């Protein structure tokens, strides 16, 4: 019989080590904790973010525009860094519009998506000159009214809810009934009303889903997106200037997951950029990425405050948990809880290993950072590092729950 081996995490190779410690930016884990002045905290490595964007630019066709989806990590210093590296910023609230504009980005390179935009958010977008991705006919009419009131012609894109969906995606955001975008079959009617209302049409936004690790599924969704945009653009008085074909590039979080193979996606995008240029009168393609640009550059670091045994299990109790990192606790969209990759940041190699459960300080059994992991033996004061934490960490967690202090946050 062949022994079945349990799937393990893909090795974390982006960080180096020094003095038996994990190195983030120029700091060892212990130095970084001292530099931040507190635990727990999030730290994002700017060198790794730069490398990630450079590697993408290297492999992707030069005509492809890359946007950063701010909701993945809205820390101002991170937005500032990415603003210099990418071609535009995608936002999903008036607060994110302000954060984006603070980076100095040109307003026309900001697009504002998301269902349920209020009149005041629409007015803020029109005044700023950012592009509004329309999510419904009602929103289009309310936007036109704001434009009229302000005496400014709103720049708009139409977010299309395609009839297809992104297969094997972590989060599906297109296909079937959805609160996002306008069903593709209703878009032609909407476009004629749009031009009657005098809105300035910029492009189409088609976002099928997120966190996908299968190149073939992404390629298929991108092909279908461009076909759809081409069909919708037929007979329009103004051709779209761009088509945002979504992103969906995933990163490996859990045992058994492997990094995405970008080569076939890049080769296909080369073809699609050329097709867009020919079929859509020079329109360019946009790919919007959140986690792919930042997730692997970030860590969450908490300190062990207690070690205890319970009926044969060892618990490391840390000062950080679900309230800071909902996703690592398994409560942000996971159906079956799986561990994020973790390490003891100040004991990379240690002769004595043990199996532990790492939990947070909250009075709920949901507050788990790692379940039954084998790690170097750790004591009170040691640093637990949760990898792949640069996206949907700090801002996607319920800091108020149980009234502990919020985590620190640094870009190094
Ligand atoms: C959340 C979101 C993204 C970013 O998704 P990632 O998985 O972080 O890349 C991109 N576009 C839209 C419309 C989104 O809502």
């Amino acid at each position: 019989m062949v022994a079945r081996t349990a799937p393990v995490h893909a090795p974390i190779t982006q960080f180096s080590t020094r003095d038996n410690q994990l190195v983030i930016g120029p700091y060892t884990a212990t130095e970084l904790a001292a530099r931040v002045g507190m635990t727990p905290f999030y730290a994002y490595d700017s060198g790794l973010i730069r490398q990630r964007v450079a590697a993408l630019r290297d492999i992707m066709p030069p005509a492809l525009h890359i946007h950063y989806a701010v909701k993945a990590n809205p820390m101002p210093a991170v937005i500032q860094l990415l603003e210099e590296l990418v071609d535009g910023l995608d936002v999903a609230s008036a607060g994110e519009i302000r954060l984006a504009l603070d980076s100095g980005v040109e307003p026309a390179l900001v697009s504002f998506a998301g269902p349920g935009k209020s009149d005041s958010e629409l007015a803020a977008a029109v005044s700023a000159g950012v592009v509004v991705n329309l999510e419904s006919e009602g929103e289009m009419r309310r936007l036109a009214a704001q434009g009229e009131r302000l005496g400014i012609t709103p720049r708009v894109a139409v977010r299309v809810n395609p009839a297809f969906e992104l297969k094997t995606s972590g989060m599906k955001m297109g296909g079937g009934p959805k609160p996002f975008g306008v069903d593709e079959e209703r878009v032609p009617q909407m476009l004629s009303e749009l031009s009657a209302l005098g809105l300035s049409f910029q492009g189409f936004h088609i976002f099928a889903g997120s966190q996908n690790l299968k190149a073939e599924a992404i390629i298929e969704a991108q092909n279908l997106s461009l076909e759809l945009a081409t069909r919708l653009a037929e007979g329009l008085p103004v051709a779209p200037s761009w088509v945002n074909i979504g992103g969906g590039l995933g990163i490996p979080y859990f045992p058994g997951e492997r990094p995405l193979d970008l080569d076939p996606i890049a080769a296909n995008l080369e073809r699609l950029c050329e097709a867009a240029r020919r079929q859509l009168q020079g329109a360019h393609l946009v790919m919007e990425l959140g986690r792919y640009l930042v997730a692997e550059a970030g860590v969450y670091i908490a300190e062990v405050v207690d070690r205890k045994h319970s009926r044969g299990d060892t618990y490391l109790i840390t000062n950080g948990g679900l309230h800071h990192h909902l996703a690592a606790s398994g409560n942000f969209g996971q159906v079956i809880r799986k561990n994020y990759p973790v390490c003891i940041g100040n004991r990379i190699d240690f002769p004595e290993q043990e199996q532990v459960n790492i939990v947070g300080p909250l009075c709920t059994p949901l507050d788990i950072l790692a379940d039954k992991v084998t790690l170097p033996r750790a004591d009170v004061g040691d640093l637990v590092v949760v990898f792949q934490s640069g996206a949907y960490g700090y801002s996607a967690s319920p800091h108020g729950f149980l009234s502990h202090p919020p985590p620190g946050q640094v870009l190094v």
Side-chain angles (χ1 to χ4, degrees):
M1 252 177 76
V2 182
R4 278 192 41 176
T5 46
V8 292
H9 282 106
I12 300 289
T13 54
Q14 63 268 41
F15 295 99
S16 61
T17 61
R18 183 167 77 234
D19 301 335
N20 204 20
Q21 296 218 19
L22 189 74
V23 172
I24 303 107
Y27 304 108
T28 63
T30 309
E31 288 166 354
L32 184 57
R35 145 90 154 76
V36 178
M38 65 182 288
T39 57
F41 60 89
Y42 280 91
Y44 316 116
D45 186 323
S46 58
L48 291 180
I49 296 175
R50 284 179 195 283
Q51 273 176 32
R52 176 48 66 96
V53 178
L56 259 181
R57 295 279 197 203
D58 238 32
I59 190 169
M60 290 297 168
L64 179 74
H65 288 218
I66 295 172
H67 282 201
Y68 175 52
V70 165
K71 83 171 188 287
N73 186 329
M75 186 195 189
V78 169
I79 299 175
Q80 187 84 52
L81 171 66
L82 278 161
E83 190 274 326
E84 289 168 18
L85 304 174
V86 299
D87 305 303
L89 298 175
D90 293 343
V91 299
S93 69
E96 285 190 355
I97 292 179
R98 287 192 293 275
L99 287 167
L101 294 177
D102 283 350
S103 74
V105 66
E106 195 185 311
L109 301 178
V110 177
S111 9
F112 177 23
K117 300 180 194 76
S118 68
D119 284 347
S120 63
E121 286 182 304
L122 293 172
V126 174
S127 314
V130 312
V131 179
V132 176
N133 294 6
L134 298 170
E135 306 267 354
S136 77
E137 292 91 341
E139 188 171 272
M140 170 176 68
R141 292 171 201 137
R142 290 191 294 113
L143 179 72
Q146 291 304 321
E148 208 152 295
R149 190 175 66 79
L150 293 161
I152 302 171
T153 303
R155 294 191 174 108
V156 299
V158 174
R159 180 163 181 186
V160 184
N161 175 25
F164 62 86
E165 56 180 38
L166 178 52
K167 287 174 194 147
T168 68
S169 189
M171 286 196 198
K172 290 187 180 29
M173 294 179 74
K178 287 283 180 300
F180 312 108
V182 177
D183 298 345
E184 64 171 80
E185 51 279 17
R186 288 222 307 276
V187 170
Q189 173 61 35
M190 180 171 177
L191 287 168
S192 51
E193 188 176 346
L194 187 155
S195 59
L197 287 168
L199 300 169
S200 163
F201 176 65
Q202 309 284 310
F204 290 114
H205 179 207
I206 304 167
F207 183 72
S210 155
Q211 180 48 22
N212 202 303
L213 289 168
K214 294 232 159 40
E216 322 82 77
I218 292 170
I219 288 171
E220 184 188 320
Q222 293 185 333
N223 289 346
L224 291 170
S225 295
L226 187 64
E227 267 171 42
L228 173 57
T230 308
R231 243 182 299 128
L232 292 172
E234 264 163 37
L236 278 186
V238 218
S241 320
W242 47 261
V243 177
N244 182 333
I245 52 167
L249 308 191
I251 65 129
Y253 286 105
F254 305 121
E257 295 184 341
R258 288 290 168 271
L260 187 59
D261 180 8
L262 281 188
D263 289 316
I265 298 173
N268 187 62
L269 280 169
E270 181 102 50
R271 199 177 61 71
L272 290 187
C273 283
E274 178 53 25
R277 209 181 50 74
R278 274 186 287 107
Q279 296 160 17
L280 292 167
Q281 291 146 61
H284 66 260
L285 295 187
V286 178
M287 187 162 68
E288 57 180 348
L289 299 175
R291 80 186 75 224
Y292 193 79
L293 301 183
V294 291
E296 289 170 280
V299 290
Y300 172 67
I301 300 188
E303 189 171 332
V304 178
V305 292
D306 199 8
R307 236 191 102 83
K308 61 187 272 188
H309 301 282
S310 171
R311 305 207 166 104
D313 274 16
T314 301
Y315 286 85
L316 298 178
I317 301 176
T318 71
N319 58 356
L322 171 161
H323 53 315
H324 296 164
H325 203 330
L326 190 66
S329 79
N331 294 292
F332 190 61
Q334 283 191 48
V335 182
I336 298 165
R337 192 193 172 283
K338 295 178 203 139
N339 290 327
Y340 270 46
V342 296
C343 78
I344 305 297
N346 58 319
R347 292 179 196 269
I348 293 300
D349 289 313
F350 197 65
E352 199 184 330
Q353 304 264 323
E354 63 179 358
Q355 181 181 289
V356 290
N357 304 313
I358 306 178
V359 301
L362 305 189
C363 234
T364 158
L366 301 175
D367 192 10
I368 298 170
L369 284 178
D371 191 40
K372 296 189 168 48
V373 286
T374 300
L375 291 173
R377 188 188 188 285
D379 266 315
V380 170
D382 284 339
L383 299 171
V384 169
V385 176
V386 182
F387 291 110
Q388 317 296 67
S389 296
Y392 307 107
Y394 185 97
S395 69
S397 299
H399 297 177
F401 187 38
L402 270 287
S403 301
H404 287 279
Q409 208 180 194
V410 285
L411 176 72
V412 293

